[in-house]
Amino acid sequence: MARTRATILDIARELGLSKTTVSSALGGSGRISEEKRALIRETADRLGYVANRAARSLRVSRVGTIGLYIPPIARSLAFYMDFAFGVTEGAAAADYDVTLFARGLTPQRAFHVDGVIAIDPSPGEPLVAALLDDGIPTVSVGRYTGPGEERVLGTLEAHHTELQIQVLDHLLSRGRKRPALLAVDDAISSSWAVDTLNTYLDWCRRHGIEPRVHEVEGNATPRDLVSAVASAVDTGHADALVCGAQGHAAQSQLVLESRGLTVGKDLDIASFAGAAALETGNPLISAIDLAPREYGAAATELLDAVVRDPDAGPVHRWFDGASVQLAG
Amino acid sequence: MARTRATILDIARELGLSKTTVSSALGGSGRISEEKRALIRETADRLGYVANRAARSLRVSRVGTIGLYIPPIARSLAFYMDFAFGVTEGAAAADYDVTLFARGLTPQRAFHVDGVIAIDPSPGEPLVAALLDDGIPTVSVGRYTGPGEERVLGTLEAHHTELQIQVLDHLLSRGRKRPALLAVDDAISSSWAVDTLNTYLDWCRRHGIEPRVHEVEGNATPRDLVSAVASAVDTGHADALVCGAQGHAAQSQLVLESRGLTVGKDLDIASFAGAAALETGNPLISAIDLAPREYGAAATELLDAVVRDPDAGPVHRWFDGASVQLAG
DNA sequence: CGGGTTTGCGGGAACGTTCCCGCAAACAAA
DNA sequence: TTTGTTTGCGGGAACGTTCCCGCAAACCCG
């Protein structure tokens, strides 16, 4: 119940040393004999010492915290959640804390971080614009276009296009010549949604395949999805469904199997937005695994780099951890 | 690009006052004339002043941060995500930051918070146990049973049982006398999962109804769900499906509608774990809306209370924001 | 053995706040 | 006028670190 933690001075007193000695012993710097260093370390964790972060921050004017901005999109939350965990893990490794930024957060609070990671920021997002305007070191995961975009210090991107083409090629190699795209009708179209549609259309053109695009609302009801799948299969004679929204692939499988169709035999299903529990790892669905945890960790690493050297100019990195999982 | 923020001293110099005066003017305390207070406030935000949190924390030995522990469960992430946003909003109102605790976080870091909110902590969770052991003020959302449970300072619970009974009663009032429970086979059975099953069994007994429990794996494949639904409907002759896992209600609707059955007419569907985009707000599905954002905000409020008065003894609160949305 | 260099450690200031005082001026009560 | 109280503000210390110094003792080399 001891509500006051041991300080560096307690350790010093205990050993008859000075706070300077203790500090440098614990910090690794300075010239200290090895025996003393070991002794200090030992008593430090005997007393349950843990450095006061506020004091350190005040002194070194580095907060040790990164902000994480997550867009308030109802779908694909699972991806963001995993991403957030990845950020947290990467941050712990680099001795950062992660604080959550929700939309509507007053930019005031943003000053208490060393930098922020914004995942899929939509162009109109005022918080991100405010952060950039205030000169907070910011890393964008996925391209950010919008006010202040020239001040984004780092951008991390995955090879979406290449991976999507791999998936489409794989369907083709399995003889599926009429893949339909169940695209998301994205009001605040992120760069990802736009790119995805273009990739599909391009691919169709290059292969002389007639594109079949079926738009699905962002928060479609099950009934909506049933009819979308029905129109793709029955009317459009699709022999493969390519889903743009997380969860839709698994849901489409439900629809097809309930109708007596066997996925992998009668039809194929693929997902461009994998990483859902029911999609990635499902042997019947070809999916892109964005590896959200590793993605998040990579974002942290990038942020750390630009925080350490803010004048390096905008840096762009590719994330190589994403992969495709091909079915059949 | 000014990387050094204005301090309280800058304001003082600018106005020829002392730091004490500026501090108390901004903090609201002290005896200051109203004109001076206004003047100080004005120049403060002219200079873009924002208080240095580290300095304040050091002085008042209050960090201004709460930790949020989220269990690493693959399903119902959407609920946790919304809950997290709710915590963030509530925290902002009470001038807290929220830092994310993932499992595997070294308890060391936990010292940098004023308290932590643990949502649905499983009994074996070592991080939560460590937090309690270290005397960190902890609020549990849902009952925590496990090592150190007597040190939990606050518990927030929703009226799960009552709400679930309401849902079952509603089904009965619509003439559904054979409701089947699609229960989650929860390895680390949370208090919620256990309570839910008991509620259903109790209710059946009281109404002289034969219980129909169909266990579904935590991360069931679509194919698993299809067969679970099929066995409930075809073999068990269920006239209503009650789903325990988030997302299963919407998915069951997909299955039924694909088979040509109309939800709300041929069969009913209800969800005990609402708050998913496709369930709550779906007029065909009776669902419990846990109101995750408000739930999170309430958790913050409770934590704030126990942090302010840690010696008040364990406090238990009911969350009254949850509701049922009845279909038909 | 005398000069210089290295080693091991301590003193003190600083980071930006808050808060306890003190103190003069103004004001009220006697 | 005298005494007491309120008002408005400032000085200084403290929170726990880190980091720049300084300074003895030990060591090295010729």
Side-chain angles (χ1 to χ4, degrees):
Chain A
M1 270 302 164
R3 276 286 68 199
T4 66
R5 302 270 166 213
T7 80
I8 222 168
L9 267 178
D10 295 322
I11 304 179
R13 267 195 296 270
E14 179 97 359
L15 295 177
L17 295 172
S18 84
K19 55 180 166 45
T20 306
T21 309
V22 175
S23 171
S24 45
L26 259 27
S29 68
R31 297 172 303 200
I32 316 277
S33 63
E34 266 317 309
E35 320 117 69
K36 271 219 158 51
R37 188 183 297 266
L39 181 62
I40 290 175
R41 286 223 171 97
E42 177 188 321
T43 51
D45 51 71
R46 178 164 57 81
L47 297 183
Y49 169 79
V50 32
N52 182 317
R53 206 178 187 80
R56 174 179 304 177
S57 300
L58 181 57
R59 177 63 229 239
V60 303
S61 62
R62 210 202 72 133
V63 195
T65 303
I66 72 188
L68 175 61
Y69 168 78
I70 299 181
I73 305 198
R75 74 181 163 291
S76 73
L77 280 178
F79 169 77
Y80 291 141
M81 199 75 194
D82 265 341
F83 182 87
F85 281 144
V87 169
T88 305
E89 284 163 14
D95 199 40
Y96 283 107
D97 281 336
V98 175
T99 105
L100 218 45
F101 283 7
R103 162 181 268 174
L105 182 88
T106 131
Q108 287 272 97
R109 311 186 72 77
F111 290 117
H112 306 129
V113 300
D114 295 311
V116 359
I117 295 176
I119 164 88
D120 287 347
S122 62
E125 179 53 50
L127 178 57
V128 174
L131 294 175
L132 292 168
D133 188 49
D134 274 317
I136 312 246
T138 300
V139 156
S140 171
V141 179
R143 296 192 309 279
Y144 168 75
T145 54
E149 60 178 279
E150 69 283 356
R151 313 180 83 156
V152 173
L153 290 190
T155 299
L156 185 66
E157 267 189 293
H159 299 280
H160 294 299
T161 304
E162 289 80 351
L163 296 167
Q164 290 170 357
I165 291 179
Q166 281 185 43
V167 169
L168 293 169
D169 284 347
H170 176 254
L171 291 176
L172 191 58
S173 77
R174 284 172 51 84
R176 309 299 187 183
K177 296 190 194 305
R178 300 184 306 277
L181 180 68
L182 263 57
V184 200
D185 156 28
D186 204 326
I188 46 146
S189 33
S190 65
S191 66
W192 182 85
V194 176
D195 291 353
T196 296
L197 180 59
N198 287 335
T199 300
Y200 172 77
L201 295 176
D202 268 12
W203 183 88
C204 286
R205 191 175 318 130
R206 282 209 315 278
H207 289 82
I209 287 177
E210 181 194 0
R212 295 164 166 82
V213 177
H214 295 260
E215 291 225 334
V216 185
E217 253 189 288
N219 48 355
T221 67
R223 188 163 284 177
D224 294 336
L225 195 69
V226 169
S227 68
V229 170
S231 89
V233 174
D234 300 337
T235 316
H237 302 292
D239 58 3
L241 298 178
V242 180
C243 301
Q246 189 171 61
H248 280 184
Q251 293 175 32
S252 298
Q253 183 185 352
L254 281 169
V255 174
L256 297 180
E257 302 248 343
S258 310
R259 294 167 120 226
L261 296 170
T262 303
V263 171
K265 193 165 135 272
D266 303 320
L267 273 100
D268 274 2
I269 293 183
S271 174
F272 278 174
L278 299 183
E279 295 174 352
T280 309
N282 183 326
L284 298 175
I285 297 179
S286 297
I288 294 176
D289 181 6
L290 244 32
R293 294 185 104 89
E294 291 78 9
Y295 207 11
T300 310
E301 209 180 327
L302 177 57
L303 180 61
D304 188 40
V306 306
V307 161
R308 284 187 200 285
D309 184 10
D311 302 319
V315 6
H316 183 282
R317 276 194 200 168
W318 289 105
F319 172 63
D320 291 319
S323 62
V324 299
Q325 300 182 347
L326 302 178
Chain B
M1 269 307 165
R3 279 286 66 200
T4 65
R5 303 271 165 211
T7 79
I8 222 170
L9 268 178
D10 295 321
I11 304 179
R13 268 194 297 269
E14 179 98 358
L15 296 177
L17 295 172
S18 83
K19 54 180 168 45
T20 305
T21 310
V22 175
S23 171
S24 46
L26 260 25
S29 68
R31 297 173 302 201
I32 316 277
S33 64
E34 265 317 308
E35 320 118 68
K36 270 220 157 51
R37 189 183 296 266
L39 181 63
I40 289 175
R41 286 223 171 98
E42 178 189 320
T43 49
D45 52 68
R46 179 165 55 81
L47 297 183
Y49 168 79
V50 32
N52 183 316
R53 206 176 186 81
R56 174 179 303 174
S57 300
L58 181 57
R59 178 62 231 236
V60 304
S61 61
R62 210 202 73 135
V63 195
T65 302
I66 71 189
L68 174 61
Y69 167 78
I70 299 181
I73 305 198
R75 73 180 164 290
S76 71
L77 280 177
F79 169 77
Y80 291 142
M81 199 75 195
D82 266 341
F83 182 87
F85 281 144
V87 169
T88 306
E89 284 163 15
D95 198 42
Y96 284 106
D97 282 335
V98 175
T99 105
L100 218 46
F101 283 6
R103 161 182 267 175
L105 182 88
T106 131
Q108 287 273 99
R109 312 186 71 78
F111 290 116
H112 307 131
V113 300
D114 294 312
V116 358
I117 296 176
I119 163 85
D120 286 348
S122 61
E125 180 53 50
L127 179 56
V128 174
L131 293 175
L132 292 168
D133 188 49
D134 274 317
I136 312 248
T138 299
V139 157
S140 171
V141 179
R143 297 192 310 279
Y144 169 75
T145 55
E149 60 178 280
E150 69 282 357
R151 315 180 81 156
V152 173
L153 290 190
T155 299
L156 185 66
E157 265 189 295
H159 299 280
H160 294 299
T161 303
E162 288 81 351
L163 296 168
Q164 289 170 358
I165 291 179
Q166 283 185 42
V167 169
L168 292 170
D169 284 348
H170 177 253
L171 291 178
L172 190 58
S173 77
R174 285 171 50 83
R176 309 299 187 182
K177 296 190 192 309
R178 300 185 306 277
L181 179 69
L182 262 56
V184 201
D185 156 28
D186 205 325
I188 45 148
S189 33
S190 64
S191 66
W192 183 86
V194 177
D195 290 354
T196 296
L197 180 59
N198 287 335
T199 301
Y200 172 77
L201 294 177
D202 268 13
W203 183 88
C204 286
R205 191 175 319 129
R206 283 209 314 277
H207 290 81
I209 287 177
E210 181 195 1
R212 296 165 167 80
V213 178
H214 296 261
E215 290 225 335
V216 185
E217 253 190 288
N219 49 356
T221 67
R223 188 163 284 178
D224 294 336
L225 196 70
V226 168
S227 68
V229 171
S231 88
V233 175
D234 299 339
T235 316
H237 302 290
D239 56 5
L241 298 178
V242 180
C243 301
Q246 189 172 60
H248 280 185
Q251 292 175 33
S252 298
Q253 183 185 352
L254 282 168
V255 174
L256 296 180
E257 303 249 340
S258 310
R259 296 168 119 224
L261 297 169
T262 302
V263 171
K265 193 164 135 274
D266 304 320
L267 274 100
D268 274 2
I269 294 183
S271 174
F272 278 174
L278 299 183
E279 294 174 355
T280 309
N282 184 328
L284 298 175
I285 297 178
S286 296
I288 293 176
D289 182 6
L290 244 31
R293 294 185 104 90
E294 292 77 9
Y295 206 12
T300 310
E301 208 180 328
L302 176 56
L303 180 61
D304 188 40
V306 305
V307 161
R308 284 187 200 286
D309 184 11
D311 303 319
V315 7
H316 182 281
R317 275 194 199 168
W318 289 105
F319 171 64
D320 291 320
S323 62
V324 299
Q325 300 181 348
L326 302 177

